[in-house]
Amino acid sequence: MIVLKITNASEVVASKVGKFIERLTPDSMDDAAVEDQVIKKLVENLATEGLKGEIAAIRGIDLHPDELLINEGMKVRRHESF
C-alpha cells in the first residue's frame, strides 16, 4: 500500500488560478481539488501501465515519519478502481 500526502495544495491552486482567488477558498477546498486532479492522473497513468488497484482520498488520517494515525471520524472522500 502506498500513502501519498500532498502538503502544498494551496500553493498549487494559487499558481493555477491566482493568489486572490486562492485566498477566497478554504484550504480544505484546495486540498480536495488538488487531490481529485492527482487521483485522475494517477488512475490514467497506472491503468495505461496495466496496473489494477484502488485509490482513495481519505480524511482523518495523519501521516508522521514513524506512524500513521487514524482519527475518529475517518471518512473516505473519494474512491476509484482502475
Side-chain angles (χ1 to χ4, degrees):
M1 180 176 289
I2 297 170
V3 176
L4 172 68
K5 179 180 180 180
I6 299 169
T7 58
N8 67 335
S10 292
E11 291 87 358
V12 171
V13 170
S15 72
K16 301 291 183 186
V17 299
K19 296 235 181 244
F20 175 73
I21 294 175
E22 188 274 330
R23 278 185 248 146
L24 297 176
T25 61
D27 285 344
S28 61
M29 185 179 274
D30 296 345
D31 292 345
V34 171
E35 287 171 355
D36 288 346
Q37 286 302 311
V38 168
I39 288 173
K40 178 182 174 187
K41 291 296 184 183
L42 279 172
V43 167
E44 290 172 3
N45 291 326
L46 295 172
T48 298
E49 293 297 325
L51 292 169
K52 293 182 181 182
E54 298 175 66
I55 190 167
I58 301 174
R59 296 280 179 251
I61 292 180
D62 293 320
L63 180 62
H64 298 279
D66 295 327
E67 62 187 349
L68 184 67
L69 298 175
I70 300 173
N71 302 318
E72 278 189 45
M74 184 189 77
K75 181 181 180 208
V76 176
R77 189 184 65 73
R78 179 175 174 176
H79 177 267
E80 284 195 38
S81 297
F82 56 92

